[in-house]
Amino acid sequence: MIDAIDKEILRTLQNDGRMSATALAAEVGLTVAPCHRRLKDLEASGVISGYRAVVDPSSVGLGFEALVFVSLAQVDRTTIDKFEAEVSENRRITSAQRLFGDPDYILKVVTKDLDEYQKFYDTELTSLPGVLRLRSTLVMKNLKPSAGLPL
């Protein structure tokens, strides 16, 4: 069971995943050994599923974002499995959620610019399995790109 100290560890790591165990322990009010043990338990149980670097998209030439609303022609297990497999494998699609109602999915796509997005849309998005309709909206400004959970 996650207690208040575990939540504080998680909140702290969401803000700085590279924090040393010593600094983390000091931040949450524990000594190093129990903090390290709690951290290992959180990792082993899958509560912490990994660590990663947050990369600024425009710094690597990927400053264009679009949200794509996808409606499928039919919603059966085979179509869903094929669609989701292809979406999961596509590196330009950085986020994907299945929704209740219409549309069926929302995808976040990142590209260099509008021209590259248009080519991606025409060649890859339209050929995803089961697609009936695609609607895009362009992201003007990303206010909260990767916020942590509200622990």
Side-chain angles (χ1 to χ4, degrees):
M1 190 67 172
I2 304 286
D3 64 12
I5 295 172
D6 287 338
K7 285 184 180 180
E8 186 61 28
I9 289 170
L10 295 169
R11 265 193 299 274
T12 303
L13 286 176
Q14 283 185 141
N15 291 326
D16 183 1
R18 294 186 64 180
M19 182 177 281
S20 71
T22 303
L24 179 61
E27 184 76 24
V28 300
L30 293 174
T31 59
V32 175
C35 182
H36 190 261
R37 185 173 54 254
R38 282 175 176 265
L39 183 57
K40 290 300 172 195
D41 289 346
L42 290 166
E43 291 169 347
S45 68
V47 173
I48 295 176
S49 59
Y51 298 89
R52 67 181 65 169
V54 178
V55 178
D56 175 52
S58 21
S59 296
V60 293
L62 297 170
F64 186 87
E65 288 182 35
L67 299 177
V68 182
F69 303 93
V70 181
S71 296
L72 298 179
Q74 59 187 57
V75 185
D76 59 76
R77 183 80 270 148
T78 302
T79 304
I80 289 170
D81 288 347
K82 286 179 181 177
F83 177 84
E84 290 181 359
E86 285 197 31
V87 165
S88 295
E89 292 297 315
N90 195 303
R91 295 179 54 211
R92 293 261 183 240
I93 300 170
T94 61
S95 175
Q97 287 82 33
R98 184 172 177 199
L99 308 174
F100 281 106
D102 188 37
D104 297 304
Y105 291 88
I106 184 170
L107 312 176
K108 182 171 119 178
V109 175
V110 177
T111 63
K112 177 179 74 175
D113 55 24
L114 178 60
D115 185 55
E116 188 174 283
Y117 174 71
Q118 180 261 312
K119 290 173 186 163
F120 176 77
Y121 183 99
D122 291 347
T123 60
E124 296 190 47
L125 289 176
T126 59
S127 66
L128 287 169
V131 169
L132 170 67
R133 181 176 53 254
L134 298 168
R135 289 175 303 185
S136 296
T137 188
L138 308 180
V139 175
M140 182 186 303
K141 182 178 182 181
N142 201 332
L143 302 176
K144 205 171 182 180
S146 50
L149 296 174
L151 301 173

